[in-house]
Amino acid sequence: MKDGYLKVEQSPALAGEVELVGAKNAVLVIIASLVVTAGKSVLHNVPLSADVFEMIELLRHLGAVIFFNTEKHELLVDTTTLHSWQVSSVLMQKTRASILIMGGLLARFGKARVGLPGGDAIGKRPIDYHLKNFAKMGVVIHHEADYLCADVERLVAARIVLEYPSVGATENIIMAATRAQGATKIINAACEPEVLDLIACLTKMGAKITVEAPATITVEGVDVLNPIEHTIMFDRLEAGSLLIAAAATGGEVFIPDADAGVLDVFLLKLEEMGHTITIGENGKGIHLKSTQTPRAVSLKTGPYPGFPTDLQPPMMALQCFASGTSVIEETVFENRFHHVHELIKMGASIHIEHNKAIITGVERLYGTHVVAPDIRASTALVIAGLVAHGTTTVSGLSHWKRGYEALEKKLQHLGANVVVHEAQNEKIMVFDMVRQAHHERD
Ligand code: EPU
């Protein structure tokens, strides 16, 4: 098999306590944001997921000197020697998050020449909100073959109205605006916790940023931004996935690191299913005790604080064997139902009407071979495999690894029968990444 796969067997009720890593979607943009500074920064709680290694590669390519202490999850990034504002198509294609380098490059150099970004095939995923709002800040952009070339003499502040609160566009505009002349206002901005972690980080650098209700972010440009030390927020999506896995198997789990305040609607839906959620003091720490008779619930994904689209696929897997009918409406991405066909192969009863999936709970799912086409679909299929009769093989291991740092080990720790089978070339890739990280320390 070209890609590796996960082999999942029906598992007992998951039980125990489990730790989280830092949030992939916070760390990617925070690493990219370091290009606005010139100096040595330190990030803590950095997850060892494949997308993080790609972002590190991208910054190295621009001239940053980076040491990743993978044992301590500590990343040292020296941007003093940054000398380039160009990123090849090959590097840009590795992730979607690569586009987040543009805002920082414009702030640092007033220039960016980058290929078009890659990423999961969960929709068209255009970047028009990024580009047209850079243009409002005085940036001149043109296409040269597969490259985007952006130039600006001096970034100017603008009043930016986003027609949709795009996470990536909000982050890119904020980064560019840190060095613009005047105060940039972003109306209908994304206020995901990962965006707020970026803001916390930029504020430490010396940026002047305020967030006001309902969703306005104001960034006053400054002349200099300094290197920082920052601890990445815990991954709410990893927390959600572990809670769903425990609920699916009728188990009981405690996640001390989890912040309940960033998962409210998701936790509400688990409670409506009949699961008991207990939250620790100050909202820190989530305990889930499953019901043995889960009820189907309906939900609609939306920008934060709505139900997170990234938890929609695993939550759908959970509805497949709940009692009753669930309607899941996906409003963020137009094509995030690739897991549906695979769940049907496992015996689920699902039909799609436009952007809605209608799921009728069945008695049981059956293990078979399924394909994970994106990160969160891989989570859904592994979770379905934990309850399915027989063996489930989930190919598309590279997606699983892009999103998570060894999530299979955490599931194993809770009692799950899930094993990773590496493709030969992936073994080499991971070995190379870790060896390189250690080599640079020596
Ligand atoms: N959109 C546009 N034009 C744009 C930008 C976005 O039409 O210029 C549309 C998108 O096509 C999509 C919607 O707006 O339909 C939302 O996209 P958004 O820009 O908010 O998403 P993103 O920044 O590309 C980040 C996460 C995703 C997460 C979404 C939504 C990162 C690296 N990625 O993507 O994470 O699903 O926000 O919360 O932060 C994942 O982790 O598996 C993942 C896909």
Side-chain angles (χ1 to χ4, degrees):
M1 220 181 276
K2 219 170 107 230
D3 199 353
Y5 65 97
L6 292 124
K7 188 173 167 195
V8 195
E9 304 282 351
Q10 191 178 21
S11 299
L14 300 194
E17 192 173 309
V18 67
E19 287 178 0
L20 300 177
V21 286
K24 168 189 82 91
N25 289 346
V27 75
L28 291 175
V29 66
I30 287 175
I31 296 175
S33 79
L34 296 177
V35 307
V36 305
T37 67
K40 291 182 187 162
S41 290
V42 185
L43 301 179
H44 303 281
N45 204 22
V46 176
L48 313 184
S49 53
D51 274 9
V52 171
F53 284 101
E54 298 298 354
M55 186 57 91
I56 290 173
E57 257 334 284
L58 197 154
L59 257 76
R60 278 206 176 112
H61 172 88
L62 296 172
V65 176
I66 302 184
F67 166 56
F68 194 178
N69 185 330
T70 49
E71 273 139 45
K72 286 188 169 168
H73 292 87
E74 189 180 272
L75 190 70
L76 279 81
V77 182
D78 188 348
T79 49
T80 320
T81 49
L82 216 69
H83 53 72
S84 170
W85 51 86
Q86 306 201 45
V87 188
S88 71
S89 277
V90 177
L91 270 177
M92 290 294 292
Q93 278 293 318
K94 301 271 171 115
T95 62
R96 163 77 182 178
S98 57
I99 193 64
L100 299 172
I101 202 68
M102 256 188 114
L105 288 178
L106 287 168
R108 173 98 180 239
F109 297 112
K111 288 180 210 289
R113 184 174 188 273
V114 301
L116 294 171
D120 281 341
I122 51 181
K124 291 196 286 284
R125 307 189 79 180
I127 50 169
D128 53 330
Y129 304 156
H130 303 237
L131 302 186
K132 71 180 175 196
N133 291 307
F134 282 150
K136 280 204 170 152
M137 300 174 78
V139 182
V140 177
I141 300 171
H142 70 278
H143 288 260
E144 243 177 53
D146 283 348
Y147 282 82
L148 279 170
C149 303
D151 255 289
V152 62
E153 190 71 33
R154 177 81 161 101
L155 283 158
V156 287
R159 184 175 188 275
I160 286 167
V161 182
L162 289 176
E163 61 194 79
Y164 184 87
S166 153
V167 171
T170 302
E171 293 171 337
N172 243 340
I173 298 161
I174 292 174
M175 288 185 281
T178 56
R179 296 291 310 282
Q181 207 165 18
T184 298
K185 241 185 206 323
I186 312 170
I187 320 284
N188 197 24
C191 291
E192 264 64 7
E194 294 77 12
V195 177
L196 300 187
D197 206 21
L198 167 70
I199 291 176
C201 194
L202 291 168
T203 305
K204 282 184 191 168
M205 292 178 191
K208 293 195 175 136
I209 308 177
T210 54
V211 183
E212 290 160 83
T216 300
I217 296 177
T218 306
V219 186
E220 210 179 302
V222 294
D223 288 334
V224 184
L225 291 154
N226 301 305
I228 43 104
E229 186 160 352
H230 184 74
T231 302
I232 305 296
M233 65 175 281
F234 285 111
D235 196 328
R236 64 189 173 115
L237 305 171
E238 187 190 34
S241 306
L242 288 161
L243 291 171
I244 294 174
T249 56
E252 185 168 354
V253 70
F254 177 52
I255 312 179
D257 299 326
D259 179 357
V262 293
L263 282 167
D264 283 314
V265 177
F266 167 71
L267 294 176
L268 172 77
K269 290 293 157 185
L270 286 179
E271 283 181 325
E272 283 177 6
M273 289 188 78
H275 304 295
T276 306
I277 304 285
T278 314
I279 294 165
E281 260 178 49
N282 303 322
K284 185 98 169 137
I286 303 177
H287 179 272
L288 173 138
K289 185 167 174 24
S290 311
T291 174
Q292 301 306 313
T293 51
R295 293 183 293 273
V297 291
S298 294
L299 59 97
K300 179 174 165 176
T301 65
Y304 188 81
F307 191 97
T309 172
D310 294 330
L311 288 175
Q312 175 265 108
M315 192 63 166
M316 189 184 298
L318 194 58
Q319 304 311 310
C320 289
F321 43 89
S323 151
T325 299
S326 153
V327 180
I328 294 189
E329 188 176 348
E330 173 59 56
T331 74
V332 179
F333 290 106
E334 73 271 16
N335 198 8
R336 205 174 207 178
F337 280 152
H338 291 303
H339 47 287
V340 169
H341 182 248
E342 306 304 300
L343 289 169
I344 291 172
K345 274 177 28 193
M346 298 177 75
S349 168
I350 310 175
H351 78 270
I352 306 253
E353 280 176 21
H354 308 290
N355 66 338
K356 289 187 183 144
I358 296 115
I359 307 124
T360 307
V362 293
E363 277 291 305
R364 63 184 46 161
L365 297 176
Y366 297 91
T368 184
H369 177 69
V370 286
V371 180
D374 61 74
I375 297 173
R376 311 301 170 184
S378 72
T379 330
L381 297 171
V382 166
I383 288 170
L386 296 177
V387 290
H389 285 222
T391 305
T392 304
T393 51
V394 183
S395 65
L397 178 64
S398 52
H399 294 294
W400 175 264
K401 291 187 158 194
R402 286 183 44 217
Y404 306 104
E405 174 187 329
L407 181 57
E408 71 283 359
K409 293 208 174 110
K410 296 185 183 179
L411 292 168
Q412 286 160 7
H413 167 76
L414 297 172
N417 291 320
V418 52
V419 190
V420 158
H421 288 261
E422 305 270 5
Q424 206 54 35
N425 56 355
E426 274 177 31
K427 262 190 204 155
I428 293 166
M429 193 181 85
V430 172
F431 174 74
D432 270 358
M433 283 169 170
V434 174
R435 194 192 47 175
Q436 196 172 0
H438 285 277
H439 174 71
E440 301 225 338
R441 178 180 47 183
D442 300 335

